[in-house]
Amino acid sequence: MYELSLIALITPLVGGLLAGLIGSKVNKSFTHWITTLGIFISFSISCWILVEVFLNPSLFLNQNIYEWMSIAGFNFKAGILIDHLTVSMMAVVTFISLMVHIYSIGYMHDDPGYHRFFCYISLFTFAMLLLVMSNNLLQLFFGWEGVGLMSYLLIGFWYKKESAIQANFKAFIVNRVGDMGLLLGIAVIFSIIGSLDYQTIFNSSTELVKAKISITNGYSVSAITLACLLLFFGAMGKSAQMPLHVWLPDSMEGPTPISALIHAATMVTAGVYMVARMSPLFELSSVALSVVLIVGATTALCAGLLGIVMCDIKRIIAYSTISQLGYMMVAAGVSAYSASVFHLMTHAFFKSLLFLAAGSVIIALHHEQDIRKMGGLKQYMPITYLAALIGSLSLIGFPGFAGFFSKDALIEAVAHSSTVGSEFAYYCVLIGVFVTALYTFRFLFMVFHGQTRFKGGEQIKESSWVILIPLILLSIPSILIAWPTFGVLVFGDFFSDSIRQISSYELFGFEYQSPLSFLIHSFSGPVIYLSVIGIFAAWVGYIKKPELPYKISNQFTTIHRVLVNKFYFDHFYENVIAKNTAKLGSAFWKFGDIKIIDDFLVNGTAIRIQKLSTITKKMQTGYIYHYALMMVIGLSLLLAWVIIKS
Amino acid sequence: MAFIEIIFYVFSSILVLTSLGVILFKNPVYSAISLILSFITSAALWLLLQAEFLAIVLILVYVGAVMVLFLFVVMMLNISDVIRTSRFNKIAPFALFIGLIIVGELITLIWIRSDQFSMTSSPISVLDTSVGNTTLLGTALFTDYLYSFEIAGFILLLAIVVSISLTLRRREGLKRQIVSEQVNIDPTKRMKLVDLKSEKN
Amino acid sequence: MLALQSYLTLAAIVFAIGVMGIIINRKNIIILLMCTELLLLAVNFNFIAFSYFNQDITGQIFVFFILTVAAAEAAIGLAILVVLYRNKDSIDVQELQTLRE
């Protein structure tokens, strides 16, 4: 199994490198075949391991591949950890990646950067697999940075577009802010435990609880709280939690398959994965859990609100992603890590489905992304419509769909939780459910129903099969994935070898019997009714009375303006942080660099040496007898010293 | 005893005077001759210290070879203008001062440290008189100090090579044999075969 | 009675004269070389005196080597001097200032 998992890890890398290095020398079909084949092998192996794991739950692999370096008694190793969490993530990542590869063959067909694109997404998959399969924090950090780098390259894929360059820059910088937190968190753990290996860290986590780290004189915090908060700060950057979410909507500048792969299914979930992986630590710090909970809940609600007012088809889905990531964090915050990971998986399916459907629409309309210029596409693109409908229903948690189970389970967990801030979180996620339904169906109605608002309607036709096949393949798990797996993954002890798990009764407050009974049970809660109200509101607002939203927005201009300006986060960052940083930087540059370093240290040294040497130069007459005289004076002084000493 | 003391004081006075002469004469030829004289007096004094071989060597090597070389160079170089100018200048009093300080310091050191010299106060017949000084020196030199001796020989060889290579001068326009060119000559460049048509008549 | 100190004092005087010669002399580089010989002579004096009074032949061996090296030094020094004179047409110490640049 060790060799197989190595192969699964390496094939995307090999495929990506081959496509990038020699792809453009051969031809397009070579590029997409080699990369798709690489991912396919990886996917098959992941599935095989998954099946093995289901058959034999005790299967577990934790092996170091080689020692990377050894400094002062600390060993840094690269290794593979295969447990249930890893296997699930591997399967999801490779499956979505495979779908995106196939989809991209059609979507990127005419793009001049075809080879580059396939190289990037394969390498991205490699980095993500590296992150997921790592058995220590250093390798996780490596994969973390790897996906960050590839996302930077992919957002700026169309590097001639000014906005794309700005967006990838923004994504990179915001991610750096989060990464700093992650790195500091790793450093805190390393400084106390002295190892980065997961197993070692979890085994000696009591040391972290005991240790104190003093911040200022007389004020110290518990190391575990500090470490968890810093790690979560890293997760906030990668998983786009408020207030570090600003990069994700802008990252929609990249090609749509990328939005599906990176910004819905895989990279942004790295933060959630990391929190789940570090759950034995997070469990030990109630402060960190509360912070996770509150940040997640706030993000879930606020990002959803923003989704209502956006007009760009991809940005709506992007805000929806942020909101759903907030849900996952909420679940982690109430210790329902399995629900969090399960939502991560279902979300990966239906969100990439939605993105790919949106991509299908975009390409049919010749790169038109404004939903105000769409509408009535249902009759032109029936399969895409169906896919989008399935994705939407799954997203809002319509009973029976995959999203329903995952979301309902985590809301149940929040309702039953007693973590500090869980009441606030509960109301946030409940309103969030309504908001989700509203913006999802607003998107669906405005794109596919109602009046046609675009030009040249007759030429619109359904996309090609290479685009539709991934949609169909993704639709299936979006509906059905929860039925066989829900009980085992969320309520069973499937993840018990990797995630710190509390008994399901303690977590959810009721005994689980079967998916059907869970379905029936949910009708006693408010969640379903809220989403139905949301759909109804969307129907009223965008089908029945299309003028109503304008009236409302005119009524509440202040709120509308705040929402349209995305809570002024961007303004704040740009005007306060970026400008002041620039000012600070220029102050450092003008004073620190030019005055101190250049004038005083660098040139100043030269000038002072020159001045000094003009004085000492006079001593160097070049006359032999002067040098001899100096020698003789030295000799006489030496003799004098000897005499005085004796 | 008294005789030896008289010899010592006479010769040491001559040594000091001739040494002063070396640095005070305007004419370098006089200086050189003065230096020769100081070497000879030194050799006499070394005889008092029973270093007969070295005394002879000093006269043979120094007076006979080195000083002749000095005189040779002095006379070879055209330095008549140097002779006329005085060698004294404004730094002379300072040099005298430094010299006196060094002398003072050395003598102080010699006399206050005299108790530390592990010397026999009566140095009569230090070395075995039955064996000559030359034999004694030779025995030590060719046994314990053989390697040093070889190195010394090598240094002399080096001195020869260096002196020659420094002063060797190739004048332009001299016709001389260059062996390497003769050996490395290419026969095809020397000889040319020409086909000549025989005239028919 | 002649003590070791007498010889050492004599050597010290000769040494000091050599030092003074080096400092005073500003015209002729040959005199510098001669003063070096004087310094070496003074040192040799010390060695031989110690050798005699310590009853140890090693001092004389050392003098032997010093004489060798001094001879070599004189030969090379004079050769350099000849080359110098050939190039600069002078052996004036005051003109030998190129080291300054």
Side-chain angles (χ1 to χ4, degrees), chain A residues 357 360 378 380-390 448 462-463 465 468-469 471-472 475:
Chain A
S360 176
K378 188 171 69 172
Y380 299 102
M381 316 176 74
I383 299 176
T384 307
Y385 168 66
L386 213 59
L389 185 64
I390 292 168
F448 292 102
E462 186 62 278
S463 304
W465 280 106
L468 293 178
I469 288 170
L471 291 183
I472 295 162
S475 301

PDB file of all heavy atoms in Angstrom, chain A residues 357 360 378 380-390 448 462-463 465 468-469 471-472 475:
ATOM      1  N   ALA A 357     -21.156  24.037 -14.135  1.00  0.00           N
ATOM      2  CA  ALA A 357     -22.371  24.432 -14.844  1.00  0.00           C
ATOM      3  C   ALA A 357     -22.304  25.906 -15.214  1.00  0.00           C
ATOM      4  O   ALA A 357     -22.642  26.306 -16.340  1.00  0.00           O
ATOM      5  CB  ALA A 357     -23.592  24.147 -13.977  1.00  0.00           C
ATOM      6  N   SER A 360     -20.172  26.310 -18.070  1.00  0.00           N
ATOM      7  CA  SER A 360     -20.856  25.917 -19.287  1.00  0.00           C
ATOM      8  C   SER A 360     -21.712  27.071 -19.814  1.00  0.00           C
ATOM      9  O   SER A 360     -21.735  27.364 -21.011  1.00  0.00           O
ATOM     10  CB  SER A 360     -21.719  24.684 -18.986  1.00  0.00           C
ATOM     11  OG  SER A 360     -22.466  24.326 -20.094  1.00  0.00           O
ATOM     12  N   LYS A 378     -33.034  27.940 -19.780  1.00  0.00           N
ATOM     13  CA  LYS A 378     -33.465  26.563 -19.539  1.00  0.00           C
ATOM     14  C   LYS A 378     -33.729  25.814 -20.840  1.00  0.00           C
ATOM     15  O   LYS A 378     -33.280  24.680 -21.013  1.00  0.00           O
ATOM     16  CB  LYS A 378     -34.734  26.580 -18.679  1.00  0.00           C
ATOM     17  CG  LYS A 378     -35.166  25.223 -18.209  1.00  0.00           C
ATOM     18  CD  LYS A 378     -36.280  25.322 -17.201  1.00  0.00           C
ATOM     19  CE  LYS A 378     -37.557  25.801 -17.877  1.00  0.00           C
ATOM     20  NZ  LYS A 378     -38.721  25.733 -16.957  1.00  0.00           N
ATOM     21  N   TYR A 380     -32.563  26.417 -23.762  1.00  0.00           N
ATOM     22  CA  TYR A 380     -31.413  26.252 -24.655  1.00  0.00           C
ATOM     23  C   TYR A 380     -30.446  25.195 -24.140  1.00  0.00           C
ATOM     24  O   TYR A 380     -29.819  24.498 -24.905  1.00  0.00           O
ATOM     25  CB  TYR A 380     -30.654  27.583 -24.811  1.00  0.00           C
ATOM     26  CG  TYR A 380     -31.508  28.669 -25.415  1.00  0.00           C
ATOM     27  CD1 TYR A 380     -32.065  29.647 -24.619  1.00  0.00           C
ATOM     28  CD2 TYR A 380     -31.749  28.709 -26.796  1.00  0.00           C
ATOM     29  CE1 TYR A 380     -32.841  30.646 -25.160  1.00  0.00           C
ATOM     30  CE2 TYR A 380     -32.535  29.698 -27.338  1.00  0.00           C
ATOM     31  CZ  TYR A 380     -33.084  30.677 -26.529  1.00  0.00           C
ATOM     32  OH  TYR A 380     -33.844  31.643 -27.066  1.00  0.00           O
ATOM     33  N   MET A 381     -30.264  25.158 -22.836  1.00  0.00           N
ATOM     34  CA  MET A 381     -29.244  24.263 -22.276  1.00  0.00           C
ATOM     35  C   MET A 381     -29.869  23.374 -21.213  1.00  0.00           C
ATOM     36  O   MET A 381     -29.646  23.563 -20.015  1.00  0.00           O
ATOM     37  CB  MET A 381     -28.109  25.080 -21.652  1.00  0.00           C
ATOM     38  CG  MET A 381     -27.656  26.236 -22.504  1.00  0.00           C
ATOM     39  SD  MET A 381     -26.421  27.226 -21.673  1.00  0.00           S
ATOM     40  CE  MET A 381     -25.022  26.163 -21.782  1.00  0.00           C
ATOM     41  N   PRO A 382     -30.629  22.376 -21.609  1.00  0.00           N
ATOM     42  CA  PRO A 382     -31.365  21.587 -20.606  1.00  0.00           C
ATOM     43  C   PRO A 382     -30.457  20.805 -19.653  1.00  0.00           C
ATOM     44  O   PRO A 382     -30.737  20.743 -18.456  1.00  0.00           O
ATOM     45  CB  PRO A 382     -32.205  20.641 -21.471  1.00  0.00           C
ATOM     46  CG  PRO A 382     -31.549  20.622 -22.800  1.00  0.00           C
ATOM     47  CD  PRO A 382     -30.894  21.947 -22.982  1.00  0.00           C
ATOM     48  N   ILE A 383     -29.379  20.264 -20.191  1.00  0.00           N
ATOM     49  CA  ILE A 383     -28.548  19.426 -19.303  1.00  0.00           C
ATOM     50  C   ILE A 383     -27.815  20.299 -18.300  1.00  0.00           C
ATOM     51  O   ILE A 383     -27.747  19.990 -17.105  1.00  0.00           O
ATOM     52  CB  ILE A 383     -27.563  18.587 -20.148  1.00  0.00           C
ATOM     53  CG1 ILE A 383     -28.354  17.681 -21.086  1.00  0.00           C
ATOM     54  CG2 ILE A 383     -26.650  17.764 -19.252  1.00  0.00           C
ATOM     55  CD1 ILE A 383     -27.510  16.886 -22.025  1.00  0.00           C
ATOM     56  N   THR A 384     -27.280  21.402 -18.775  1.00  0.00           N
ATOM     57  CA  THR A 384     -26.624  22.322 -17.864  1.00  0.00           C
ATOM     58  C   THR A 384     -27.611  22.796 -16.806  1.00  0.00           C
ATOM     59  O   THR A 384     -27.289  22.902 -15.620  1.00  0.00           O
ATOM     60  CB  THR A 384     -26.079  23.529 -18.652  1.00  0.00           C
ATOM     61  OG1 THR A 384     -25.281  23.050 -19.705  1.00  0.00           O
ATOM     62  CG2 THR A 384     -25.294  24.431 -17.756  1.00  0.00           C
ATOM     63  N   TYR A 385     -28.830  23.089 -17.229  1.00  0.00           N
ATOM     64  CA  TYR A 385     -29.840  23.546 -16.276  1.00  0.00           C
ATOM     65  C   TYR A 385     -30.080  22.497 -15.211  1.00  0.00           C
ATOM     66  O   TYR A 385     -30.124  22.790 -14.017  1.00  0.00           O
ATOM     67  CB  TYR A 385     -31.142  23.865 -17.021  1.00  0.00           C
ATOM     68  CG  TYR A 385     -32.305  24.068 -16.081  1.00  0.00           C
ATOM     69  CD1 TYR A 385     -32.320  25.161 -15.205  1.00  0.00           C
ATOM     70  CD2 TYR A 385     -33.363  23.172 -16.048  1.00  0.00           C
ATOM     71  CE1 TYR A 385     -33.369  25.342 -14.323  1.00  0.00           C
ATOM     72  CE2 TYR A 385     -34.409  23.342 -15.170  1.00  0.00           C
ATOM     73  CZ  TYR A 385     -34.414  24.429 -14.302  1.00  0.00           C
ATOM     74  OH  TYR A 385     -35.442  24.601 -13.432  1.00  0.00           O
ATOM     75  N   LEU A 386     -30.206  21.269 -15.687  1.00  0.00           N
ATOM     76  CA  LEU A 386     -30.457  20.186 -14.741  1.00  0.00           C
ATOM     77  C   LEU A 386     -29.308  20.065 -13.740  1.00  0.00           C
ATOM     78  O   LEU A 386     -29.523  19.918 -12.528  1.00  0.00           O
ATOM     79  CB  LEU A 386     -30.613  18.871 -15.515  1.00  0.00           C
ATOM     80  CG  LEU A 386     -31.583  17.863 -14.921  1.00  0.00           C
ATOM     81  CD1 LEU A 386     -32.975  18.462 -14.812  1.00  0.00           C
ATOM     82  CD2 LEU A 386     -31.615  16.613 -15.781  1.00  0.00           C
ATOM     83  N   ALA A 387     -28.102  20.145 -14.252  1.00  0.00           N
ATOM     84  CA  ALA A 387     -26.924  20.054 -13.376  1.00  0.00           C
ATOM     85  C   ALA A 387     -26.929  21.180 -12.359  1.00  0.00           C
ATOM     86  O   ALA A 387     -26.709  20.964 -11.161  1.00  0.00           O
ATOM     87  CB  ALA A 387     -25.648  20.103 -14.213  1.00  0.00           C
ATOM     88  N   ALA A 388     -27.204  22.393 -12.836  1.00  0.00           N
ATOM     89  CA  ALA A 388     -27.227  23.527 -11.922  1.00  0.00           C
ATOM     90  C   ALA A 388     -28.330  23.360 -10.892  1.00  0.00           C
ATOM     91  O   ALA A 388     -28.163  23.708  -9.713  1.00  0.00           O
ATOM     92  CB  ALA A 388     -27.432  24.824 -12.710  1.00  0.00           C
ATOM     93  N   LEU A 389     -29.448  22.825 -11.313  1.00  0.00           N
ATOM     94  CA  LEU A 389     -30.559  22.624 -10.381  1.00  0.00           C
ATOM     95  C   LEU A 389     -30.159  21.628  -9.286  1.00  0.00           C
ATOM     96  O   LEU A 389     -30.406  21.865  -8.101  1.00  0.00           O
ATOM     97  CB  LEU A 389     -31.783  22.115 -11.146  1.00  0.00           C
ATOM     98  CG  LEU A 389     -33.057  21.964 -10.314  1.00  0.00           C
ATOM     99  CD1 LEU A 389     -33.521  23.326  -9.809  1.00  0.00           C
ATOM    100  CD2 LEU A 389     -34.149  21.289 -11.116  1.00  0.00           C
ATOM    101  N   ILE A 390     -29.558  20.547  -9.715  1.00  0.00           N
ATOM    102  CA  ILE A 390     -29.127  19.543  -8.728  1.00  0.00           C
ATOM    103  C   ILE A 390     -28.137  20.154  -7.750  1.00  0.00           C
ATOM    104  O   ILE A 390     -28.241  20.006  -6.527  1.00  0.00           O
ATOM    105  CB  ILE A 390     -28.510  18.322  -9.448  1.00  0.00           C
ATOM    106  CG1 ILE A 390     -29.594  17.575 -10.219  1.00  0.00           C
ATOM    107  CG2 ILE A 390     -27.826  17.398  -8.461  1.00  0.00           C
ATOM    108  CD1 ILE A 390     -29.070  16.543 -11.168  1.00  0.00           C
ATOM    109  N   PHE A 448     -31.618  30.895 -15.600  1.00  0.00           N
ATOM    110  CA  PHE A 448     -32.281  29.895 -16.432  1.00  0.00           C
ATOM    111  C   PHE A 448     -33.760  30.166 -16.667  1.00  0.00           C
ATOM    112  O   PHE A 448     -34.350  29.631 -17.589  1.00  0.00           O
ATOM    113  CB  PHE A 448     -32.128  28.506 -15.801  1.00  0.00           C
ATOM    114  CG  PHE A 448     -30.711  28.016 -15.821  1.00  0.00           C
ATOM    115  CD1 PHE A 448     -29.916  28.063 -14.685  1.00  0.00           C
ATOM    116  CD2 PHE A 448     -30.152  27.522 -16.997  1.00  0.00           C
ATOM    117  CE1 PHE A 448     -28.622  27.624 -14.713  1.00  0.00           C
ATOM    118  CE2 PHE A 448     -28.849  27.073 -17.017  1.00  0.00           C
ATOM    119  CZ  PHE A 448     -28.090  27.123 -15.884  1.00  0.00           C
ATOM    120  N   GLU A 462     -26.356  23.984 -26.420  1.00  0.00           N
ATOM    121  CA  GLU A 462     -25.765  23.228 -25.316  1.00  0.00           C
ATOM    122  C   GLU A 462     -24.273  22.996 -25.559  1.00  0.00           C
ATOM    123  O   GLU A 462     -23.835  22.883 -26.707  1.00  0.00           O
ATOM    124  CB  GLU A 462     -26.493  21.870 -25.217  1.00  0.00           C
ATOM    125  CG  GLU A 462     -26.113  21.022 -24.042  1.00  0.00           C
ATOM    126  CD  GLU A 462     -26.430  21.693 -22.720  1.00  0.00           C
ATOM    127  OE1 GLU A 462     -25.617  22.509 -22.290  1.00  0.00           O
ATOM    128  OE2 GLU A 462     -27.487  21.406 -22.128  1.00  0.00           O
ATOM    129  N   SER A 463     -23.529  22.931 -24.480  1.00  0.00           N
ATOM    130  CA  SER A 463     -22.082  22.747 -24.628  1.00  0.00           C
ATOM    131  C   SER A 463     -21.761  21.327 -25.114  1.00  0.00           C
ATOM    132  O   SER A 463     -22.622  20.463 -25.141  1.00  0.00           O
ATOM    133  CB  SER A 463     -21.398  22.970 -23.287  1.00  0.00           C
ATOM    134  OG  SER A 463     -21.727  24.236 -22.795  1.00  0.00           O
ATOM    135  N   TRP A 465     -19.960  17.530 -25.378  1.00  0.00           N
ATOM    136  CA  TRP A 465     -20.070  16.410 -24.446  1.00  0.00           C
ATOM    137  C   TRP A 465     -18.936  16.379 -23.433  1.00  0.00           C
ATOM    138  O   TRP A 465     -19.122  15.969 -22.298  1.00  0.00           O
ATOM    139  CB  TRP A 465     -20.133  15.090 -25.226  1.00  0.00           C
ATOM    140  CG  TRP A 465     -21.515  14.877 -25.737  1.00  0.00           C
ATOM    141  CD1 TRP A 465     -21.956  15.005 -27.009  1.00  0.00           C
ATOM    142  CD2 TRP A 465     -22.655  14.548 -24.943  1.00  0.00           C
ATOM    143  NE1 TRP A 465     -23.301  14.780 -27.077  1.00  0.00           N
ATOM    144  CE2 TRP A 465     -23.762  14.497 -25.819  1.00  0.00           C
ATOM    145  CE3 TRP A 465     -22.854  14.306 -23.592  1.00  0.00           C
ATOM    146  CZ2 TRP A 465     -25.045  14.206 -25.382  1.00  0.00           C
ATOM    147  CZ3 TRP A 465     -24.128  14.015 -23.163  1.00  0.00           C
ATOM    148  CH2 TRP A 465     -25.219  13.962 -24.059  1.00  0.00           C
ATOM    149  N   LEU A 468     -20.140  18.256 -20.768  1.00  0.00           N
ATOM    150  CA  LEU A 468     -21.331  17.748 -20.092  1.00  0.00           C
ATOM    151  C   LEU A 468     -21.065  16.492 -19.276  1.00  0.00           C
ATOM    152  O   LEU A 468     -21.691  16.294 -18.235  1.00  0.00           O
ATOM    153  CB  LEU A 468     -22.426  17.458 -21.128  1.00  0.00           C
ATOM    154  CG  LEU A 468     -22.965  18.717 -21.821  1.00  0.00           C
ATOM    155  CD1 LEU A 468     -24.004  18.339 -22.846  1.00  0.00           C
ATOM    156  CD2 LEU A 468     -23.537  19.693 -20.813  1.00  0.00           C
ATOM    157  N   ILE A 469     -20.109  15.662 -19.736  1.00  0.00           N
ATOM    158  CA  ILE A 469     -19.857  14.414 -18.998  1.00  0.00           C
ATOM    159  C   ILE A 469     -19.447  14.676 -17.552  1.00  0.00           C
ATOM    160  O   ILE A 469     -20.023  14.083 -16.629  1.00  0.00           O
ATOM    161  CB  ILE A 469     -18.797  13.562 -19.743  1.00  0.00           C
ATOM    162  CG1 ILE A 469     -19.427  12.978 -20.997  1.00  0.00           C
ATOM    163  CG2 ILE A 469     -18.264  12.452 -18.862  1.00  0.00           C
ATOM    164  CD1 ILE A 469     -18.440  12.329 -21.923  1.00  0.00           C
ATOM    165  N   LEU A 471     -20.263  17.149 -15.783  1.00  0.00           N
ATOM    166  CA  LEU A 471     -21.453  17.641 -15.085  1.00  0.00           C
ATOM    167  C   LEU A 471     -22.319  16.469 -14.644  1.00  0.00           C
ATOM    168  O   LEU A 471     -22.787  16.419 -13.501  1.00  0.00           O
ATOM    169  CB  LEU A 471     -22.262  18.560 -16.005  1.00  0.00           C
ATOM    170  CG  LEU A 471     -21.643  19.916 -16.362  1.00  0.00           C
ATOM    171  CD1 LEU A 471     -22.599  20.721 -17.211  1.00  0.00           C
ATOM    172  CD2 LEU A 471     -21.309  20.675 -15.104  1.00  0.00           C
ATOM    173  N   ILE A 472     -22.494  15.537 -15.567  1.00  0.00           N
ATOM    174  CA  ILE A 472     -23.336  14.393 -15.224  1.00  0.00           C
ATOM    175  C   ILE A 472     -22.681  13.551 -14.136  1.00  0.00           C
ATOM    176  O   ILE A 472     -23.310  13.156 -13.158  1.00  0.00           O
ATOM    177  CB  ILE A 472     -23.581  13.545 -16.489  1.00  0.00           C
ATOM    178  CG1 ILE A 472     -24.383  14.375 -17.499  1.00  0.00           C
ATOM    179  CG2 ILE A 472     -24.309  12.273 -16.147  1.00  0.00           C
ATOM    180  CD1 ILE A 472     -24.335  13.848 -18.888  1.00  0.00           C
ATOM    181  N   SER A 475     -23.031  15.192 -10.905  1.00  0.00           N
ATOM    182  CA  SER A 475     -24.402  15.257 -10.407  1.00  0.00           C
ATOM    183  C   SER A 475     -24.717  14.050  -9.548  1.00  0.00           C
ATOM    184  O   SER A 475     -25.436  14.155  -8.545  1.00  0.00           O
ATOM    185  CB  SER A 475     -25.394  15.303 -11.572  1.00  0.00           C
ATOM    186  OG  SER A 475     -25.144  16.417 -12.366  1.00  0.00           O
TER     187      SER A 475
END
